[in-house]
Amino acid sequence: MTTEPDTARRTGAYRAHGNEPALFEHAFHRGAPVMLTGPTGCGKTRFVEHMAATLRRPLVTVSCHDDLTSSDLVGRFMVTGGDVVWTDGPLTRAVKAGAICYLDEVVEARHDSLAVLHSLTDHRRTLYLDRAGEIVTAPDTFMLVCSYNPAYRGSLKELKPSFRQRFVTLAMTYLPPAAEAETVATETGVPLAVAQRLVRCANAVRAADRAFHFEPPSTRVLVTAAHLIVSGATEFEAAEACVLAPLSTDGAITDGLREIAAAAL
Ligand code: ADP
């Protein structure tokens, strides 16, 4: 598990896909938790960082994984200097601080670890710290945000429908090509024409993905490729190393994709 400092970080700009910033704000003001869905690297984290800054709330991020326990979220007793003291976990700290708590890839966590969220995600907006004997009611400014990638084919995990229905769900995807290219150019300083070629290449591979069934190249990999190009790599080198090579370990598939990508560059 990783957590970030309890302050809204300065981040780069966020380019909205549609009405998701307004919907997020409505949810925030109504005390409703939000679930962000969409492929990896499509901007979910950047969006949450942007909204935390917009709403002037601290952001606490937890990267979920299958060993995550409810104690990792709410806290545990720890021995410090011979004393046994209760130490709040990131979720408890976020509730007490009225922060936005972002559980990234929540589908990775075990269902029983998430049970602690139930009382936080309904009208009670309350965290029950059974072991510490404490009940913490969330202030109006606390918000729970989760994300997951429902199409991730390497994972057999799914969230329970009853859990999903506790959230306002904002479905995200890649930006339209012109906006994605502008984002890659703005993020990296690469000329717009180069960013447009990278996006064309990614979209050609994304279209092929419907037949090949792998996790398609994300905006994140295009940003990384553009950074390499700014550093002096050629477009082919950057596309190969950042866009194509991570997709598949099957040489025949990569060869096929290389042809598709080369035609777009
Ligand atoms: P996710 O959380 O969905 O895996 P991120 O938010 O980490 O994806 O996005 C990866 C990178 O892609 C960001 O660091 C940013 O450079 C870029 N990016 C993706 N979408 C956007 C967007 N809508 N606006 C600005 N940058 C974006």
Side-chain angles (χ1 to χ4, degrees), residues 5-73:
D6 292 1
T7 50
R9 284 195 302 141
R10 270 189 69 80
T11 62
Y14 173 70
R15 188 178 295 264
H17 295 234
N19 61 353
E20 75 277 11
L23 284 171
F24 190 105
E25 277 204 49
H26 289 311
F28 174 78
H29 292 303
R30 303 306 303 186
V34 161
M35 176 74 74
L36 303 177
T37 64
T40 184
C42 78
K44 300 184 291 298
T45 302
R46 178 64 68 92
F47 175 49
V48 179
E49 291 170 346
H50 167 77
M51 293 311 299
T54 304
L55 296 166
R56 299 182 186 284
R57 299 316 310 152
L59 178 63
V60 177
T61 299
V62 180
S63 299
C64 298
H65 54 81
D66 52 11
D67 284 336
L68 186 90
T69 64
S70 57
S71 299
D72 290 329
L73 289 173

Side-chain angles (χ1 to χ4, degrees), residues 12-17 20 38-49 102 104-105 147 172-175 179-180 183-184 187-188 218-224 227:
Y14 173 70
R15 188 178 295 264
H17 295 234
E20 75 277 11
T40 184
C42 78
K44 300 184 291 298
T45 302
R46 178 64 68 92
F47 175 49
V48 179
E49 291 170 346
Y102 177 42
D104 193 8
E105 282 303 333
S147 76
M172 298 176 64
T173 184
Y174 308 114
L175 287 163
E180 189 173 29
T183 300
V184 171
E187 290 279 302
T188 63
S218 64
T219 309
R220 181 187 294 115
V221 302
L222 300 185
V223 167
T224 311
H227 276 307

Side-chain angles (χ1 to χ4, degrees), residues 7 10 14 38 58-59 78 108 118 124-125 143 161 170 180 188-189 196 201 203 216 220 223 243 251 263:
T7 50
R10 270 189 69 80
Y14 173 70
L59 178 63
M78 298 219 265
E108 294 297 329
H118 289 178
R124 292 171 284 177
R125 284 179 56 84
M143 185 180 195
L170 304 180
E180 189 173 29
T188 63
Q196 286 166 336
C201 165
N203 279 330
R220 181 187 294 115
V223 167
V243 181

Side-chain angles (χ1 to χ4, degrees), residues 71-123:
S71 299
D72 290 329
L73 289 173
V74 299
R76 54 169 51 88
F77 284 103
M78 298 219 265
V79 180
T80 41
D83 293 328
V84 180
V85 289
W86 174 263
T87 307
D88 286 339
L91 178 65
T92 307
R93 282 190 286 116
V95 173
K96 288 182 176 173
I100 292 177
C101 185
Y102 177 42
L103 304 186
D104 193 8
E105 282 303 333
V106 70
V107 73
E108 294 297 329
R110 292 202 321 256
H111 291 307
D112 58 320
S113 305
L114 301 179
V116 70
L117 300 177
H118 289 178
S119 56
L120 259 188
T121 49
D122 60 27
H123 63 281

Side-chain angles (χ1 to χ4, degrees), residues 110-178:
R110 292 202 321 256
H111 291 307
D112 58 320
S113 305
L114 301 179
V116 70
L117 300 177
H118 289 178
S119 56
L120 259 188
T121 49
D122 60 27
H123 63 281
R124 292 171 284 177
R125 284 179 56 84
T126 299
L127 193 56
Y128 295 94
L129 306 178
D130 294 341
R131 287 192 192 153
E134 198 183 345
I135 296 174
V136 189
T137 301
D140 289 347
T141 54
F142 169 77
M143 185 180 195
L144 180 70
V145 181
C146 297
S147 76
Y148 87 111
N149 175 4
Y152 182 45
R153 298 172 188 95
S155 170
L156 297 174
K157 295 176 187 167
E158 240 317 338
L159 290 173
K160 285 187 181 172
S162 58
F163 182 75
R164 291 202 305 258
Q165 287 186 25
R166 292 172 171 273
F167 293 80
V168 173
T169 298
L170 304 180
M172 298 176 64
T173 184
Y174 308 114
L175 287 163

